[in-house]
Amino acid sequence: MTGSRKAAWIIGAIVAFDLLFLALPTLVVLVASFTPGTIITFPPPGFSLRWYGNLLQARDFADALWRSLQVGLVCTALSLPAGTLAALALARFRLRFATGLQIYLLLPFTIPLVVSGVGLMLVFGRLGWLGAVWPVGVAACVINLPFMIWAVAASVNHLDPDLENAAANCGAPPVHSFFTVTLPAVAPGILTGALIMFILAINEFLVSLMLTDARTVTLPVLVYNAIRSIITPDLAAVSVVYVILAVAAIWLLDRLVGLDIFLKSKQG
Amino acid sequence: MAQATTAAAEPMVRLERVSKRFGATLAVETASFDLEPGSFLTILGPSGCGKTTLLRMIAGFIRPDGGSIVLNGRPVAADPPWRRSIGMVFQKLALFPHMTAAQNVAYPLKMRGFPRQGMAERVERYLSIVRLGGLGGRRPHELSGGQQQRVAIARALVFEPDLLLLDEPLAALDRKLREDMQLEFRRIQRELGVTTINVTHDQREALVMSDRILVMEGGRIQQAANPVDTYARPANRFVAGFLGVTNFLPGRLASLAEGRAVVEVEGTRLEGLCADPSLAPGAAVAAAVRAERVRIAGTGETAPDESDVEGEVVEVVFEGDRFVYELRMPSLGGIPLRLFDLDPLAHPRHAPGERVTVAWRHRDLMVFPA
Ligand SMILES: Nc1ncnc2c1ncn2[C@@H]1O[C@H](COP(=O)(O)OP(=O)(O)O)[C@@H](O)[C@H]1O
Ligand SMILES: [Mg+2]
């Protein structure tokens, strides 16, 4: 009894420590963003919403945020069908070329982002796509698609392989069974993947850096440029905007599918 | 039972020489059988003998290489699974995880175009037939294993199919629940009178549940008979060994006349019954005797219609309702022999090393081609 109590205590302490460390940078930035001064310090010398006011005034930040959201939407819209169908196909044709295909789908992961960025820049340049915002969404989709596939695959792997046979046995022709059984049954994975893709896309930096110019700059790139000139507390305020977006996404995820699909490998 | 009154009735299911090959594996080889309306057939056989393949061909998930399947008087070769009037309970149940129990049961009604009017009542009625009344609002993962089974049965039966297929849905349950569910399946099947094909590798399940048993091995149907005949009169050596605990004594046929055989095992002559008139004297045979048909006899205590052989006790185990003896038979070339003493409280227990005389009746020795 006491032994397990003690163990629980120790584990509790470790978890608390971990949580603190994970959250610390975010908390520091959060607090620092409320500084009334002109440089980022921790702890801040006072409290003011001055930099948030600034942020609202600064058109370039607002425009960049809007472009980042567009990038996120394009990326999510593309990865929804691409990732879902790829994951379903991988599960369906498990026997034949799964390994080869899996390695192929992992390629964007194993290649350094700089290389992907240069490659995409060349291709997009050829296609005359540079100078628009939506190709950045395409790029984000290309480099992050494995996340989408994994999220959906996690859901697919929990399914009974006979699920579609069961639907057919119940009288459902294939198209019906796809829309009324297969898709809804993997919906938790699809939603999870879509939100991950959205968050990754609005945060994407390195490849965006290569694909954007002054007219199409996205928020992470703008922040980077700003850091290179002077570091003012409005950057902390921007970071807080990001934190809010991420928290909103996680809240949405929890409301829609529950977070346990993330934290546990098995569901139901 | 129905066959006596309506001798000319069409069978509900008729398979004629149905075959399926996967690469080098002949999964099902020229399987033929008829199934009376309302009867319960169990396909029994070891893992990999082709049971699932046969069932999936009937359901329409696998296309046979040859042969014909007729359901309720209609060849179904051209029908995809969703147009066959067949309900199926899958091995892992395959309930739709995103639907409630009631929605699972309503699904076949919707897909098969049943009128919306009265659908809810019908779903409720079938949920209560499987004794799940009031639980229709739960998702599959909120139900116990046995309750999930019941949802799967209701889903397979709600549209009143011509045929119900069960692919070992009970195999994953623990023993107590499995035995309860066996009786439960049988009750529902009788209540609704639906023609049923059940698949299992569990001989007890086959004996308990079925009107007829079809024993399969290596893709071939070995025997089709009612449970009692399957057990008492196995068609061949495989069936004899697959059901019950059977001792095989390898030997040569000495003589065969009118079904009465004399077999020579390592110089000892034993009398038995043989249903295969084509066997010639000298042929290699396996004589088989079930463990519960062998008894330990006092010396000189054997009847004229019995064979008696000397043996030595190797091991004896008390199982409550029986002693299980493992013997070694010196006069039969030292082969092992197992016997059950089914009245353990009335008989003394023989210790390992003891020499005993065992006896069985001539008619309990079954002679098969080796
Ligand atoms: N899709 C398949 N591809 C290749 N071989 C298969 C396939 N399905 C079944 N088999 C083979 O056919 C034989 C019968 O399988 P199955 O019908 O599943 O047996 P059972 O259900 O009696 O265990 C086995 O040897 C199995 O390996
Ligand atoms: Mg099987």
Side-chain angles (χ1 to χ4, degrees), chain B residues 91-234:
Chain B
Q91 180 148 16
K92 290 193 208 140
L93 305 183
L95 295 176
F96 306 130
H98 57 290
M99 297 183 196
T100 63
Q103 286 167 340
N104 266 279
V105 178
Y107 188 79
L109 298 178
K110 289 185 186 146
M111 288 300 135
R112 289 175 186 268
F114 279 64
R116 296 247 152 201
Q117 185 109 40
M119 199 181 272
E121 290 76 40
R122 184 163 181 157
V123 168
E124 201 44 54
R125 181 155 57 87
Y126 273 84
L127 282 173
S128 66
I129 288 175
V130 297
R131 299 194 171 140
L132 276 182
L135 294 183
R138 299 232 190 135
R139 296 280 186 87
H141 70 267
E142 296 165 330
L143 296 168
S144 73
Q147 289 169 333
Q148 293 179 9
Q149 298 272 344
R150 292 161 189 269
V151 177
I153 301 168
R155 185 180 68 180
L157 289 173
V158 70
F159 60 99
E160 289 170 4
D162 288 341
L163 177 65
L164 174 66
L165 302 178
L166 312 170
D167 188 3
E168 307 208 42
L170 304 179
L173 301 181
D174 58 63
R175 212 191 86 192
K176 178 76 179 71
L177 188 53
R178 188 168 67 230
E179 289 174 4
D180 289 349
M181 288 306 294
Q182 286 168 2
L183 298 175
E184 191 68 7
F185 268 86
R186 198 64 236 246
R187 172 186 71 80
I188 295 165
Q189 193 268 339
R190 286 228 177 88
E191 228 170 88
L192 302 177
V194 59
T195 314
T196 303
I197 302 180
N198 174 45
V199 150
T200 186
H201 61 265
D202 177 352
Q203 52 157 308
R204 202 195 106 87
E205 180 178 320
L207 293 170
V208 168
M209 293 174 81
S210 329
D211 297 318
R212 211 147 68 93
I213 297 176
L214 210 124
V215 184
M216 267 183 92
E217 150 74 352
R220 288 180 151 271
I221 296 177
Q222 305 289 330
Q223 183 167 15
N226 68 42
V228 173
D229 283 346
T230 309
Y231 191 84
R233 279 177 281 283

Side-chain angles (χ1 to χ4, degrees), chain B residues 22 25 27 46-53:
Chain B
F22 294 111
T25 315
S47 181
C49 73
K51 307 183 294 291
T52 296
T53 306

Side-chain angles (χ1 to χ4, degrees), chain B residues 245-266:
Chain B
V245 176
T246 311
N247 298 292
F248 286 102
L249 319 172
R252 301 216 159 265
L253 189 68
S255 69
L256 174 62
E258 288 165 8
R260 295 166 162 278
V262 176
V263 177
E264 203 176 296
V265 181
E266 299 286 333

Side-chain angles (χ1 to χ4, degrees), chain A residues 51-71:
Chain A
W51 296 105
Y52 288 91
N54 257 25
L55 208 57
L56 285 177
Q57 313 273 298
R59 278 227 57 88
D60 52 345
F61 272 113
D63 289 347
L65 174 62
W66 169 233
R67 282 191 288 267
S68 277
L69 291 176
Q70 283 175 285
V71 166

